[in-house]
Structure formats: C-alpha cells, structure tokens
Amino acid sequence: MLNSNNPILAKQLKIQKYHILDGMTNLDDGWGAPYDNQTYVEAYDQLEMALMEPLDHVLEKSNVEEFRPKFKNQKDPKKRNWIKKTNGDTEWKELIYGFGTSDESEIEDHELKKHYFQPPLQVQRNSFVKNTLMNFKKESNIDIQRLAIMGCGEMSLERGLCDVLGTFGTINVLSVDIDPVSLSVGQQLLEKHLNQQGDIISSETGLPVLMRSYLGDILEPDHRFADVDAIVSLEVVEHISLEDAKKFVNNVLGTLIPRIFIFSTPNHEYNTVFGMKPGEFRHDDHKFEMNRKEFSDWLEELSIRFPHYLIEPPHFIGMTPKYEDLSGASQAAVCRLQDNINTSLPQEITPYKSVGHVACRLGSRLVAYNLVRQAFLEWLENVEMHPAGLKNETFMPYWSFNISHILHHIHAPISFSSTIDEKVAIKYIQGMTSYKVHPDSVNGVNGIAIPQSQTKANLIETVERNAKMQ
Ligand SMILES: C[S@@+](CC[C@H](N)C(=O)[O-])C[C@H]1O[C@@H](n2cnc3c(N)ncnc32)[C@H](O)[C@@H]1O
Ligand SMILES: [Mg+2]
C-alpha cells in the first residue's frame, strides 16, 4: 500500500505538493447558494436548538495571556523580566494564538522561532490539513460534513479552517482534548477569531457550522466521533506512550472509521536543526519521538492491519533551507477509507463531556437576498401609502419607511435574520426594484424612500419580473 511508484498516489502527492502553500484558489465567491432556502432555514433552526442544549460541564475560564507554561523552554509569563519587545514574530503569534500585543509573553519554543520556519510550523501543518481535505473533497466529491479534531489543544486548526468550511460542506466540527485549560483557551480564541474574521468567513457560502468541544481522553472512543467524515490529530500521539499512541490510531482506523484520517508527529531526526543533542526530545511532555524509518514502518504496519484504508507514504511538513535531506520537521500520515464500512461502536458509548459550542456562520447572500425580497413583497402588500404621509422636503415628494419594519416580515429564525445587515438589505431592495427605491437613512435610522411617482402595483411587478430573470 505504501508504494510511491503507484501512479495514482504519485499524482495525489503531486497535487498536494502543488497546493500546500498556494492558498485556496477555487473558493466559492459567495453568490452561489449550494442549498435551497428551506435547507438554510432548517439548518438555522437546528443550530438554534443545538446552542440551547445545556453543556455537560462548564469549564473554569482560563487566562489566555498566562497560558502555556507547560512545555519545556517556555518561561513563566508571570515573570515579566524576561519579556522583550517583539518584532515580526508577533505577527506569527497573532496567527497562531490569535493575540499578539506588544507586551505578550515571548514564547521560547524551537518550532516557533521565525528564522526556522516561515510561515510558522503550526501554520504550515494547518495548511497541509486544509489542502489535504480540499483535495479529498475535490477528488471524491464527498462533503466533509462532520469533521473531528482529536487532541485539539488551543484550537489553532479549527481557527485555520473556518474560512473553508463552506467549501468542505461542513456542518459540524467536533473537538476533544484532555486538558481543560487548553480547551478553555481554545474556546476563547475561537470565539474571538469568529468575531474578528466574521466578514471573511461570511464571504463564503455555506450552512452554519456548529463547532462543539469536548473534554475527554482520546484513548476512549466516543460514538459521537464515530463515522465522521474526517478525523485530524496533529502533534498529539507523541504526548502519550507509544503503546497508547498505537492504541489510539488503531481505535480510529478500526472503531471510529472516518473516511479520512490525518495525524502528525515530530520527525525526531530534524531536532538537529534546532541544535539539540541526539535523543533529546523537542518538548518535555513528549513520551517518544520517531525517526523517519520508524514512522514509515508504523504506517506499513497499519496498512497491513487495516486493509480497508489506503495509507499514503509519509508527508513532511516544515522545511528549513540547507536541511532538505532531513525531509521536514513534522511527519504526517493520510489514511483514506477504501470501502463503505461503518462503525460498530454502540451509540450509548459517549464518555466525552461537552464543554462548549459556538456557531461559525458562513455567508448566505443569495438566501438572504431571497428572504429580503419575500419580506419586501409581503410588506408592500400590507403597507399604506397615503398622500398625507408624503415628505415634501425635495422636488419630488416621497414616503420614508424604516427598514426594520420591512425586515420583520422575514420568515426565518432570528439567528438567521439577525445576520442580515439593514444597509445591505436596503441595497438588495434597490436592486430588486431596478433602483425605483432609494436609501433614506436619517439620524442613524436606516430606511428606504419611495417616490410619489411609484405605485405599489408597479413596484411589485418590477420585483417579480426581476426575480424571474435571476
Ligand atoms: C502539542 S498539543 C497539539 C495541539 C493541537 N493538535 C495543535 O496542533 O495545535 C498536544 C495536545 O494533545 C492533548 N492530549 C494529550 N493526551 C491526550 C489524551 N489522552 N486525550 C486527549 N487529548 C490529549 C494535549 O492536552 C494537548 O492539547
Ligand atoms: Mg508535540
């Protein structure tokens, strides 16, 4: 199975290599709605209900700024005397942790040092996952509806994938970690990211994504993580004993059975690039590190034990010039399910505790447009346009109406209609009436102006004619 002479594999590898850092070129531009209005409205209904479900356990809120004294070479951020002003590195930490203020703790982590990796290794690993899943979706034409991240840590991957979840066709992201502090930090960073990047995220069309996090031990399988489309576990296995790492991977491939499983671990041989002694581990918390042969042998073992998976030869992530012979700092496995088999894990096996949920609201402009049109038509049917209500401030008298009254006629859950901006709705109405209606915002109240020359019947006719041409 691990034969790199296989032409299909070689082609896949070539495509993957090509896509690694070139960004996503074929993203939906946001205007095409792959689902109909009803599907959106139902998805928002379900989202609202899911967000109302009580959590199994409420985490103590961790201080994001004081996070991560847990690994080797990471100084205690409370001891401020070693803080030095950051330079361009701040930018990378902004990417990784979502904060990068000037007095932020300087984390002395080999992998984070700018001169080794540009972009940082973590970002490269996330890009690798993004591209691998993108290729999986393109080649198989299967949506990654449910995506699970095991050993999610501070949810850097979750943040990194938000802007492509629409392209993946994702509706659920499930994350699990054993460490409540990492989870609490991850939740805070994810929420901050979703708020700050809202405009970018909503530039892509897709159903809303429920992102749920769980406290749990990945050595115990949980039915909610079974039969998902993709499982990703980056830099986790080395934090448990080799025996447990093998048990975890066996559980994924033999019990949870995702369509695609991606996992990574450090390439031990690469530590020499960081000036480390042979045998020294990259972090204190590592229980083992594998050289390239050991990792590739493990994948060989797995492909024999799990013949229903096609396991690609190891991928390498993070190169440093002049050290090309060491392949890369992280080694990753990509395992793709070949047969249509399902889990036999009983439904009642749910040891993980839900500890957080948040919605990633993707764009839905066409759906919003259609809902605004329906609301505008319904409102028009009912509105009274008396000559007494005309405003005479200009050459052409006009009626002025508050847009919020029109938007009250939208037939959709509030969680969806609240995503429609008033000014954007006015722009839609202008367009659908062939600019017979104008924006009229006075004293911060957004409204529309309908000139006296327009009749209700004429406006309705124009809107309906334009709708037919859509
Ligand atoms: C190096 S961090 C990687 C975090 C994340 N995957 C990333 O790429 O940023 C390893 C994570 O594995 C988690 N972990 C270790 N053992 C675990 C276990 N048995 N169950 C769940 N999570 C575990 C740790 O708490 C930690 O957050
Ligand atoms: Mg590690």
Side-chain angles (χ1 to χ4, degrees), residues 235 238-239 283 286:
E235 309 293 289
E238 71 278 6
H239 293 267
H283 291 301
H286 287 181

Side-chain angles (χ1 to χ4, degrees), residues 205-440:
T205 302
L207 297 176
V209 185
L210 177 67
M211 305 182 83
R212 195 165 253 166
S213 43
Y214 295 88
L215 182 65
D217 182 348
I218 56 168
L219 290 169
E220 293 182 78
D222 183 299
H223 187 266
R224 290 162 294 192
F225 283 62
D227 284 341
V228 294
D229 299 294
I231 295 186
V232 184
S233 189
L234 296 182
E235 309 293 289
V236 176
V237 288
E238 71 278 6
H239 293 267
I240 49 185
S241 70
L242 182 57
E243 197 191 341
D244 282 346
K246 293 196 166 175
K247 183 179 161 197
F248 162 62
V249 172
N250 292 347
N251 269 340
V252 172
L253 299 181
T255 306
L256 298 178
I257 320 185
R259 289 181 198 276
I260 180 167
F261 176 43
I262 304 170
F263 70 100
S264 77
T265 192
N267 165 14
H268 183 64
E269 291 161 89
Y270 214 82
N271 290 0
T272 173
V273 178
F274 309 123
M276 298 168 67
K277 293 185 213 87
E280 199 185 342
F281 289 167
R282 231 175 271 182
H283 291 301
D284 267 351
D285 194 51
H286 287 181
K287 307 296 185 293
F288 68 88
E289 285 184 356
M290 283 185 168
N291 63 33
R292 284 169 291 179
K293 168 105 178 41
E294 287 164 329
F295 188 65
S296 141
D297 286 351
W298 185 13
L299 301 196
E300 287 280 5
E301 263 172 48
L302 290 170
S303 64
I304 294 164
R305 181 163 180 171
F306 300 102
H308 50 291
Y309 276 94
L310 176 74
I311 301 178
E312 297 174 4
H315 295 259
F316 291 92
I317 307 160
M319 322 272 177
T320 308
K322 299 204 287 268
Y323 291 98
E324 286 81 3
D325 56 319
L326 294 173
S327 306
S330 276
Q331 36 195 356
V334 176
C335 317
R336 290 172 63 158
L337 185 63
Q338 299 301 293
D339 308 318
N340 227 345
I341 53 169
N342 293 324
T343 190
S344 54
L345 188 69
Q347 246 180 330
E348 55 280 7
I349 307 284
T350 54
Y352 303 167
K353 288 191 166 70
S354 66
V355 290
H357 47 214
V358 64
C360 174
R361 293 166 207 275
L362 299 174
S364 42
R365 279 187 267 177
L366 193 57
V367 179
Y369 186 92
N370 289 337
L371 287 171
V372 170
R373 181 175 54 216
Q374 157 266 309
F376 182 58
L377 285 173
E378 189 181 297
W379 170 85
L380 259 182
E381 302 276 0
N382 294 296
V383 74
E384 307 238 332
M385 284 156 76
H386 289 303
L390 280 168
K391 287 195 179 172
N392 287 304
E393 296 145 17
T394 55
F395 165 71
M396 170 67 81
Y398 65 96
W399 289 280
S400 177
F401 298 103
N402 186 333
I403 185 72
S404 70
H405 297 162
I406 299 172
L407 297 183
H408 276 151
H409 289 264
I410 286 183
H411 296 285
I414 181 79
S415 60
F416 183 84
S417 52
S418 63
T419 64
I420 303 174
D421 183 83
E422 290 188 348
K423 288 202 171 90
V424 172
I426 292 172
K427 209 172 146 221
Y428 290 163
I429 291 173
Q430 268 187 286
M432 66 183 75
T433 57
S434 299
Y435 295 86
K436 291 173 178 170
V437 165
H438 312 288
D440 182 42

Side-chain angles (χ1 to χ4, degrees), residues 67-68 70-71 96 111 122 125-126 149-159 176-180 182-183 214-220 232-240 244 248 264 283 285-286 352:
F67 177 66
R68 282 197 145 223
K70 66 182 181 187
F71 293 130
I96 297 166
E111 295 183 355
Q122 176 108 21
R125 277 193 293 258
N126 291 349
I149 299 168
M150 305 191 75
C152 61
E154 304 83 63
M155 302 193 199
S156 143
L157 181 63
E158 285 81 337
R159 277 173 276 140
V176 62
D177 202 283
I178 203 168
D179 177 16
S182 293
L183 279 170
Y214 295 88
L215 182 65
D217 182 348
I218 56 168
L219 290 169
E220 293 182 78
V232 184
S233 189
L234 296 182
E235 309 293 289
V236 176
V237 288
E238 71 278 6
H239 293 267
I240 49 185
D244 282 346
F248 162 62
S264 77
H283 291 301
D285 194 51
H286 287 181
Y352 303 167

